[in-house]
Amino acid sequence: MKCRLIVSSILAAGIALPAMAADNQEMVMEARKVIKEFATQLKGELKKAMKDGGPVNAISVCNDKAPKITDQVSSRSGWSVARTSLKPRATANNPLPWERKVMEEFEARKAAGADPKTLDYSDVVEEDGKKVFRYMKAIPTAKVCLNCHGGDEVKPEVEMRLKSLYPSDRARGFKEGDIRGAFVLKKTF
Ligand code: HEC
């Protein structure tokens, strides 16, 4: 707990406000619910596209639908929702400095034996005079992800399509169980 507070004050760049524990817990629960909805929708679209036309076809889902689903979930839930990574594919998903620090902390916790599924982080900061609750949750790499984020598992035709869409792609070479990235949720209150 003490460690968390110190980390959040360093991360916050501004002022980290020690929110009331009970309120915080409620926000964490809400954020997790939104992530569940978001992840289910993304995975559903991905599975369907993979079944219909394999990974080359499914790239368009991630390329075209993922940003749209992100916007939809954001406007429906009232949360700002995003995905990021230490090795991003889309430049639009490049991490902010505080997000990078949290993901580096996730990597350190994983290296110390933590299960990536359990890695999350929350704090409250002040931005433009308003309190903002921030939540991040690690996204583990599953086997199906290796079709487009793995090493040798990525087929040549998939590789070609990815290269043309994402010339500065860094989201390759992942293994099952690695942390692929993180969900980032924010809410002003
Ligand atoms: C069919 C190919 C494909 C598969 C399979 C796939 N992804 Fe992706 N992934 C992409 C593409 C393309 C993007 C870039 C999306 C964009 O332009 O916003 C992406 C982006 C992401 C991002 C956002 C951060 C970044 O790197 O830009 C995360 C996180 C992510 N994928 C996780 C996963 C996980 C976890 C799985 C497995 C459950 C998975 N992906 C499976 C193609 C794929």
Side-chain angles (χ1 to χ4, degrees):
M1 186 60 199
K2 199 174 163 205
C3 170
R4 259 217 132 149
L5 279 178
I6 293 166
V7 171
S8 42
S9 11
I10 294 165
L11 290 172
I15 320 152
L17 303 171
M20 281 182 34
D23 289 355
N24 224 355
Q25 198 48 34
E26 222 165 86
M27 296 288 260
V28 167
M29 301 296 273
E30 205 184 309
R32 285 191 185 143
K33 220 172 94 187
V34 174
I35 288 174
K36 206 165 189 183
E37 183 198 343
F38 184 36
T40 305
Q41 212 171 333
L42 279 175
K43 265 191 212 149
E45 292 284 353
L46 179 65
K47 259 195 198 156
K48 190 171 162 287
M50 292 282 279
K51 214 172 127 203
D52 290 350
V56 179
N57 171 57
I59 289 172
S60 63
V61 168
C62 303
N63 172 248
D64 177 45
K65 289 206 179 152
K68 282 187 191 142
I69 294 172
T70 309
D71 289 348
Q72 277 167 15
V73 174
S74 290
S75 55
R76 212 169 38 222
S77 65
W79 286 76
S80 141
V81 174
R83 291 187 305 168
T84 187
S85 175
L86 287 173
K87 287 168 66 184
R89 169 154 290 162
T91 47
N93 298 330
N94 282 349
L96 294 170
W98 77 272
E99 296 170 340
R100 173 176 297 280
K101 280 189 188 143
V102 171
M103 287 188 287
E104 281 165 359
E105 190 205 309
F106 285 169
E107 290 291 351
R109 280 156 68 188
K110 178 175 175 283
D115 179 349
K117 284 197 202 93
T118 65
L119 295 172
D120 68 352
Y121 171 89
S122 66
D123 67 11
V124 176
V125 293
E126 203 175 287
E127 281 178 11
D128 303 327
K130 288 190 188 119
K131 272 197 208 178
V132 182
F133 175 81
R134 310 190 297 190
Y135 182 76
M136 284 181 72
K137 191 169 196 320
I139 305 174
T141 308
K143 201 166 176 192
V144 63
C145 318
L146 304 182
N147 281 296
C148 300
H149 296 296
D152 295 343
E153 298 91 344
V154 179
K155 294 198 180 110
E157 63 268 30
V158 174
E159 179 139 10
M160 254 171 59
R161 183 94 185 103
L162 287 174
K163 275 208 174 119
S164 74
L165 285 169
Y166 306 96
S168 53
D169 186 8
R170 296 184 56 216
R172 288 287 310 276
F174 284 88
K175 293 191 287 299
E176 204 176 340
D178 283 349
I179 300 171
R180 176 56 265 275
F183 291 111
V184 186
L185 275 81
K186 291 213 263 179
K187 195 171 187 175
T188 306
F189 65 101

